[in-house]
Amino acid sequence: MGTMAINRKDARLDLRMNSEQKETIGRAAAASGMSMSQWALDRLMRSARSDLLDESVIRMSSRAFDEFARALEEPQAKEFADFVSQGTIWES
């Protein structure tokens, strides 16, 4: 019974497009053996996950990472150390 609730489709997303766009999507869906809805939802979810990942992951070259790690290991400037030692308003 829990599985049915998880897979229940209870929301809609309507998209407006021109006939050429719809035809292209229909052909791509057919080539993938999916309905247009299945194909569109699959592609939207892939894109959404990718965009969310791009927003939450920082990528840098190994050289940039080495420089970053080295900077973290260096002694803190006095001003920064003083700032950090003040604590936050949530720690009172």
Side-chain angles (χ1 to χ4, degrees):
M1 188 162 180
T3 304
M4 288 181 66
I6 292 171
N7 292 328
R8 197 177 98 202
K9 294 183 167 97
D10 60 354
R12 289 186 62 88
L13 174 65
D14 296 316
L15 301 170
R16 297 191 55 82
M17 65 190 78
N18 64 40
S19 57
E20 181 182 338
Q21 291 168 323
K22 185 176 179 183
E23 175 63 27
T24 301
I25 292 168
R27 288 191 352 250
S32 299
M34 299 177 169
S35 70
M36 284 181 65
S37 291
Q38 291 169 324
W39 185 90
L41 183 56
D42 178 69
R43 296 322 189 267
L44 282 169
M45 290 301 295
R46 286 185 196 185
S47 183
R49 288 182 184 118
S50 175
D51 288 352
L52 291 171
L53 185 62
D54 287 346
E55 289 297 316
S56 62
V57 174
I58 298 172
R59 292 181 175 93
M60 62 179 71
S61 68
S62 59
R63 180 178 177 209
F65 178 79
D66 290 343
E67 291 175 18
F68 174 72
R70 198 170 21 261
L72 290 176
E73 293 171 358
E74 292 178 0
Q76 298 173 350
K78 181 183 179 332
E79 295 82 7
F80 181 73
D82 291 344
F83 172 75
V84 171
S85 68
Q86 292 174 8
T88 67
I89 60 173
W90 301 279
E91 295 174 329
S92 341

